[in-house]
Amino acid sequence: NSEPIGYVTFRNLTIECCNRAAFFNWHAHHIQVIGCTIRNTGEHSVMSLRGKHNRIAGCDIYDTGSMGVYMSGGFRDPHQGFYRDCYSEIDNNYIRHGGRIRRGTCVIDILGVGIRVSHNLIHDCSRTGIHARGNRNVIEYNHIRHVNIETSDAAAINMCDRELSNHDSKIRYNKIHDVLGLHLSMGKWEPRHFTFGIYLDDFTSGVDIYGNLIYRTPRGGIFIHGNQDVRVFNNVVLDADKDMLFLRRWGRGLEFE
């Protein structure tokens, strides 16, 4: 069937008390979830997989068993240097109290090319606020606070795909503050342990980080780990427990070729 599947808008609905995801679409285009209330889900609130021109906007999402929104789309062939944007977006949502069942999940997770995450308010979640993988993605104008309540080695915004070709993304104009972090060490729980405002982990490269306001973070404001071609400029970082900017290589014998 060569006809496109999609072109459906869900508007001003309340969906709750489902065992799994409230909304799920796969290989569908121009799907919109607008102004909906989604709560008390067993897993994610919205899963939008391998589509394009999809939009999650103006939704009130809370008390999710796992992630708030998971979105993928676009095409990437790093060996030939070919990428195709999906032009999907997650915009202007209020998402809180995520990860009620699966504590290690983030609030918004994107994987693909050309996805925009903007103007979202995120707070009081078990782990990361926004996690991103892929190329040409934009994370901007989000307000994130009180995340990583029950986990550590994370951040308000985290990028990690262990792939040097994940290039050309931007993290800009976000407001991040009061990041937490919880870690069990020698039988004792440590609060405010090894978490950051923005964290580029394990070879995530070619990212521009600028115009962000970051304050009151446990380990540091921005952490760059084993990466290349990353530019960090024109950010304001205040009241970090230790470092404003923390740079770390893998160490002798562990460098990615």
Side-chain angles (χ1 to χ4, degrees), residues 170-200:
K170 293 178 173 57
I171 302 175
R172 61 191 183 189
Y173 311 132
N174 300 282
K175 181 179 179 180
I176 297 168
H177 63 98
D178 296 293
V179 176
L180 304 173
L182 190 64
H183 182 77
L184 183 63
S185 177
M186 304 294 291
K188 181 180 178 181
W189 287 104
E190 296 181 0
R192 297 183 61 78
H193 180 93
F194 203 73
T195 49
F196 304 84
I198 298 173
Y199 184 172
L200 302 190

Side-chain angles (χ1 to χ4, degrees), residues 86-117:
C86 68
Y87 305 105
S88 294
E89 64 178 29
I90 303 167
D91 180 66
N92 194 36
N93 302 283
Y94 180 22
I95 311 177
R96 72 271 191 199
H97 302 116
R100 292 296 203 181
I101 298 172
R102 298 187 180 183
R103 305 296 191 181
T105 56
C106 53
V107 177
I108 294 176
D109 193 2
I110 62 171
L111 168 61
V113 183
I115 301 174
R116 179 172 172 258
V117 182

Side-chain angles (χ1 to χ4, degrees), residues 2 5 14 18 42 48 53 56 58 63 67 109 116 127 130 140 142 151-153 164-165 170 187 192 197:
S2 61
I5 300 174
T14 296
C18 51
S48 178
H53 297 285
I56 316 300
D63 288 330
M67 297 180 194
D109 193 2
R116 179 172 172 258
R127 193 161 170 79
I130 299 172
E140 61 183 2
N142 300 282
T151 59
S152 62
D153 192 13
L164 281 170
S165 67
K170 293 178 173 57
R192 297 183 61 78

Side-chain angles (χ1 to χ4, degrees), residues 33-221:
V33 181
I34 309 294
C36 293
T37 297
I38 307 169
R39 62 196 179 202
N40 301 324
T41 62
E43 293 187 357
H44 312 326
S45 67
V46 179
M47 294 185 68
S48 178
L49 307 182
R50 302 183 68 179
K52 60 184 179 181
H53 297 285
N54 294 327
R55 186 167 183 252
I56 316 300
C59 293
D60 190 6
I61 299 171
Y62 59 95
D63 288 330
T64 59
S66 187
M67 297 180 194
V69 179
Y70 179 75
M71 177 178 282
S72 65
F75 178 82
R76 61 187 307 270
D77 186 346
H79 299 291
Q80 299 186 34
F82 176 75
Y83 305 93
R84 181 185 295 122
D85 291 13
C86 68
Y87 305 105
S88 294
E89 64 178 29
I90 303 167
D91 180 66
N92 194 36
N93 302 283
Y94 180 22
I95 311 177
R96 72 271 191 199
H97 302 116
R100 292 296 203 181
I101 298 172
R102 298 187 180 183
R103 305 296 191 181
T105 56
C106 53
V107 177
I108 294 176
D109 193 2
I110 62 171
L111 168 61
V113 183
I115 301 174
R116 179 172 172 258
V117 182
S118 58
H119 302 102
N120 299 284
L121 171 58
I122 297 170
H123 67 82
D124 288 283
C125 300
S126 60
R127 193 161 170 79
T128 300
I130 299 172
H131 183 260
R133 295 166 288 165
N135 299 74
R136 293 204 290 257
N137 297 314
V138 177
I139 301 171
E140 61 183 2
Y141 299 106
N142 300 282
H143 181 184
I144 307 173
R145 62 175 177 83
H146 296 95
V147 292
N148 303 311
I149 292 175
E150 299 179 81
T151 59
S152 62
D153 192 13
I157 299 175
N158 177 255
M159 297 183 70
C160 179
D161 203 18
R162 295 181 173 87
E163 171 60 74
L164 281 170
S165 67
N166 280 204
H167 267 243
D168 303 320
S169 291
K170 293 178 173 57
I171 302 175
R172 61 191 183 189
Y173 311 132
N174 300 282
K175 181 179 179 180
I176 297 168
H177 63 98
D178 296 293
V179 176
L180 304 173
L182 190 64
H183 182 77
L184 183 63
S185 177
M186 304 294 291
K188 181 180 178 181
W189 287 104
E190 296 181 0
R192 297 183 61 78
H193 180 93
F194 203 73
T195 49
F196 304 84
I198 298 173
Y199 184 172
L200 302 190
D201 199 7
D202 294 359
F203 319 130
T204 302
S205 301
V207 179
D208 287 349
I209 301 173
Y210 60 93
N212 300 282
L213 172 61
I214 304 170
Y215 58 97
R216 292 196 295 268
T217 55
R219 178 59 170 82

